[in-house]
Amino acid sequence: MEQAEQAGNGTTEQESQAERTEQSGQSEQAGETNEKERRSAAASGEYPPEPETITGSEALLRGLLAEGVECVFGYPGGSALNIYDAMTDNPDFKHLLARHEQGAVHAADGYARSTGKVGVCLATSGPGAANLVTGIATAYMDSVPLVVITANVPTGLIGTDAFQEADIVGITMPITKHSYFVRDAGDLPRIVREAFYVANSGRKGPVLIDIPKDVSNQRFAYRPAEDEPRVRGYEPAPAVDPGEVKRLLGAIAAAERPVIIAGGGVVYANASAELLAFAEQTRVPVVTTLLGLGGFASSHELWLGMPGHHGEYAANMAIQRADLLVAIGARFDDRVTMKLDGFAPLAKTIAHIDIDPAEVGKNVRTDIVCIGDVKDVLRFANEAAKPARSEAWLAELRANKAAYPLRYRDSETELKPQFVIELIHETTGGDAIVTTDVGQHQMWTAHYYKFNRPRSLITSGGMGTMGFGFPSAIGAQLGNPGRLVVSINGDGGMQMCAQEMAVCAIHNIPVKIVVINNQVLGMVKQQQEIMYERRYSQIDLAGSPDFVKLAEAYGIKGLRASTKAEARQAWREALDTPAPVLVEFMVPMDENVYPMVVAGTTLDRMILGGFGEQEA
């Protein structure tokens, strides 16, 4: 019966199968033709291609590459494993495994400060994210652009006190410029684009992206972010007010004792050339804050030094006698002003150029306010700037600088830390990128290494973070592979980050690591000596490791010097070695940093360390 029906249809089973095969082939050929036509139309822009389906992790990596990220510094963990798994299929993505999350964020910070680009770090949830907090605060205080990516527990576990859960958005709210908690992987392309825009525009700072584990694994139809980033209510670059700039120029033209206080904002705005032109056109002398060092060349005749707590005599006295102060990208922090009600007592006018209106008038009264990008304001001002009546003033300041230079009592039997910094400066020509930790060595570096290029000093200013110096050098070296990077550390701070030597050894990152070893918490000791009547408490670092052996244990050459001759020889060997080297300089513990202004006193009450005291 079945055969008869088939016969009645006029075909056999074999003939029917052949017909189906032919139709299928024609269909496949038509499909291939349609696909070619679709691709051709997409390529010609007639209509967009079908979006690719990928995970949130893959979208994150693509977004970072689209922003030009050269390296992410991070440390994996359970909640971040989807992101780290995606790296295995993305050969273009570069990641450096730190040995501690704090090392990762400080390395990203050093990369950002030295290059002007956004630094990126990555950590897992809970303790991993929490270990980033100090580094985030460090970047926030110093206006450094970072994108900090943290993984979190799955969204269904948020708020349940799950294993390794922490509300990192809440924890870091006061120390981030902006935060994102990602609930949908489809938002990641936009969020990554916005995060970089916010971090690196206006007053720069860290931005946090927190990604739950299920979101990092969520699949969605991916389209890259193409629109220009816009964040509601965010206006990063206010327009320059010509009227205020005109008032500023009028005040300068009338001033007899003007002074410019240049801060880190000059460096971050890439405005060093504009500041130079402004100072030369107006004939106004310049002091640079710790973070502003290098923003105005220390070799220039108009440069007076660093002001403040450990400021130079000429710089502090210039502020105290000035009739006009012009702060440029500086925030009048307490280490610069010292006792506020005695700060710049003769200044009839104080002007402030800054991109952040919140800083203006916060600590010091302000008479002339120029809000805007420092580079834009100075460019505008330079079109009409006229010289102040300052020649007699400049002569007085030059005399002060000559009469009260930075000095220390050198020795032929002991290796003085100031000599070590001078040696490093002389042998590098002042052309190295120098990172420091925090303490006495930081101030000696600020005093005795002469910075003539912006982004040459990488140091923690506002937060004063021990453990910052060495990891930041790793980031600076990766961002500047053709530059010499020298990391100057105390024996205290070096022990907070020594494990990162493994990173240098494995990847042959040729940082020259300096340890100024006085076997004591030097800055704490100095304050206890001067302000607490030598009641020393918990400052003894005897029993610290042999840093040379520690370096060798990590596979890094270690050298030690205790005399001038040994110092010269060891440092020359370090410079001649195309690899990371640690040099430990053994210095006396009783050496102090001078000048010094004691907290609660004014800038003109300087302790000069026995070289003509200015304490009256």
Side-chain angles (χ1 to χ4, degrees):
M1 185 67 168
E2 184 176 338
Q3 290 178 349
E5 287 178 356
Q6 289 175 347
N9 291 333
T11 60
T12 65
E13 176 62 26
Q14 289 83 355
E15 289 173 337
S16 179
Q17 178 64 39
E19 184 177 337
R20 287 196 298 270
T21 301
E22 182 179 355
Q23 290 173 351
S24 174
Q26 292 172 348
S27 176
E28 288 177 3
Q29 289 175 358
E32 290 176 3
T33 301
N34 291 339
E35 176 62 18
K36 289 178 181 178
E37 291 175 352
R38 188 191 69 77
R39 290 178 179 174
S40 176
S44 65
E46 293 181 19
Y47 62 84
E50 291 295 321
E52 184 181 1
T53 300
I54 64 174
T55 66
S57 296
E58 292 168 319
L60 172 67
L61 303 191
R62 292 189 187 187
L64 295 176
L65 289 172
E67 294 297 330
V69 173
E70 296 175 316
C71 182
V72 170
F73 305 88
Y75 202 98
S79 293
L81 287 185
N82 292 328
I83 299 171
Y84 277 89
D85 183 62
M87 295 180 193
T88 62
D89 295 324
N90 196 327
D92 296 327
F93 191 82
K94 306 301 180 189
H95 177 279
L96 191 78
L97 176 62
R99 292 304 183 267
H100 191 287
E101 291 89 355
Q102 189 168 338
V105 67
H106 290 331
D109 186 312
Y111 173 92
R113 294 189 201 225
S114 64
T115 64
K117 302 174 184 178
V118 178
V120 183
C121 62
L122 169 62
T124 193
S125 63
N131 279 341
L132 299 175
V133 170
T134 298
I136 296 172
T138 300
Y140 182 78
M141 285 285 279
D142 290 351
S143 302
V144 178
L146 295 184
V147 169
V148 179
I149 301 163
T150 54
N152 214 324
V153 299
T155 52
L157 295 179
I158 296 290
T160 68
D161 293 331
F163 177 68
Q164 292 193 335
E165 179 192 359
D167 178 10
I168 194 63
V169 171
I171 291 169
T172 61
M173 190 71 72
I175 54 170
T176 50
K177 188 175 177 183
H178 195 58
S179 298
Y180 295 91
F181 179 76
V182 186
R183 298 180 182 276
D184 189 320
D187 293 331
L188 272 168
R190 171 187 59 82
I191 286 174
V192 171
R193 189 87 180 273
E194 286 182 4
F196 278 79
Y197 168 65
V198 172
N200 207 29
S201 60
R203 182 177 183 174
K204 305 176 192 301
V207 175
L208 178 78
I209 304 175
D210 192 35
I211 309 173
K213 188 173 184 178
D214 56 323
V215 174
S216 66
N217 200 42
Q218 179 188 347
R219 303 189 70 83
F220 71 104
Y222 172 77
R223 289 190 187 279
E226 296 177 350
D227 296 335
E228 287 299 314
R230 297 187 66 183
V231 179
R232 186 173 61 185
Y234 178 59
E235 296 294 337
V240 177
D241 183 343
E244 286 297 284
V245 175
K246 185 176 180 180
R247 288 185 63 208
L248 170 62
L249 296 180
I252 290 173
E256 296 181 352
R257 300 188 310 278
V259 174
I260 291 170
I261 302 177
V266 172
V267 176
Y268 301 149
N270 298 315
S272 297
E274 288 75 13
L275 174 60
L276 174 63
F278 183 71
E280 290 183 338
Q281 285 179 229
T282 59
R283 298 297 294 164
V284 177
V286 178
V287 302
T288 46
T289 69
L290 177 65
L291 294 182
L293 290 174
F296 190 86
S298 61
S299 58
H300 198 282
E301 59 157 348
L302 291 173
W303 186 72
L304 300 177
M306 181 181 72
H309 179 46
H310 287 293
E312 296 181 42
Y313 180 91
N316 281 352
M317 293 304 294
I319 290 174
Q320 292 303 89
R321 290 201 11 87
D323 62 2
L324 169 66
L325 281 186
V326 183
I328 305 178
R331 56 188 180 87
F332 290 115
D333 73 285
D334 60 295
R335 284 299 178 100
V336 168
T337 65
M338 301 309 289
K339 187 179 180 181
L340 268 174
D341 60 8
F343 176 72
L346 302 181
K348 301 173 185 176
T349 305
I350 297 179
H352 198 162
I353 302 172
D354 206 287
I355 199 166
D356 186 359
E359 288 296 344
V360 177
K362 185 176 77 174
N363 296 327
V364 173
R365 81 159 208 279
T366 306
D367 305 294
I368 299 173
V369 179
C370 297
I371 300 299
D373 182 271
V374 166
K375 194 180 189 77
D376 293 340
V377 174
L378 290 179
R379 278 179 174 173
F380 191 85
N382 286 338
E383 294 177 4
K386 296 291 190 295
R389 297 182 291 167
S390 59
E391 290 310 314
W393 172 236
L394 291 174
E396 176 185 331
L397 297 177
R398 282 193 292 269
N400 274 347
K401 197 168 183 179
Y404 296 96
L406 290 168
R407 287 179 284 188
Y408 65 96
R409 289 179 174 82
D410 203 359
S411 172
E412 295 305 318
T413 59
E414 292 182 310
L415 180 60
K416 292 298 185 80
Q418 301 94 328
F419 171 83
V420 172
I421 304 303
E422 288 178 329
L423 172 66
I424 294 170
H425 175 262
E426 290 167 6
T427 53
T428 63
D431 195 43
I433 295 175
V434 176
T435 77
T436 82
D437 212 82
V438 173
Q440 288 179 314
H441 70 276
Q442 179 188 34
M443 294 297 102
W444 286 318
T445 301
H447 285 166
Y448 293 99
Y449 194 99
K450 302 305 179 185
F451 295 93
N452 288 316
R453 295 174 59 178
R455 302 189 185 278
S456 291
L457 174 62
I458 311 299
T459 193
S460 173
M463 188 57 61
T465 303
M466 290 182 69
F468 172 86
F470 175 44
S472 68
I474 294 174
Q477 187 72 82
L478 290 180
N480 302 268
R483 297 276 303 275
L484 171 66
V485 177
V486 179
S487 178
I488 302 176
N489 308 270
D491 49 322
M494 189 63 201
Q495 293 183 72
M496 295 187 178
C497 58
Q499 68 276 358
E500 303 304 331
M501 282 195 281
V503 178
C504 281
I506 292 168
H507 300 284
N508 196 32
I509 300 171
V511 173
K512 309 309 174 192
I513 309 161
V514 171
V515 179
I516 306 293
N517 190 351
N518 60 3
Q519 301 183 59
V520 70
L521 288 173
M523 191 60 83
V524 179
K525 175 185 177 295
Q526 179 169 339
Q527 293 189 34
Q528 290 177 347
E529 177 180 324
I530 295 171
M531 301 164 62
Y532 293 86
E533 300 176 344
R534 299 180 183 268
R535 293 193 301 275
Y536 300 124
S537 177
Q538 305 303 316
I539 56 171
D540 186 3
L541 291 180
S544 296
D546 180 323
F547 287 101
V548 171
K549 290 183 178 178
L550 184 63
E552 291 171 346
Y554 279 110
I556 290 176
K557 177 185 285 188
L559 304 168
R560 180 179 292 111
S562 300
T563 67
K564 284 184 174 181
E566 291 174 354
R568 292 189 184 98
Q569 181 178 351
W571 184 241
R572 174 47 56 193
E573 184 176 347
L575 292 178
D576 290 342
T577 302
V581 181
L582 181 145
V583 185
E584 181 183 24
F585 295 97
M586 306 302 296
V587 301
M589 69 172 59
D590 58 355
E591 196 71 20
N592 285 337
V593 179
Y594 296 112
M596 178 181 179
V597 179
V598 176
T601 61
T602 54
L603 288 177
D604 52 338
R605 296 182 63 83
M606 285 170 276
I607 302 173
L608 300 181
F611 294 101
E613 301 301 326
Q614 185 70 23
E615 298 167 295

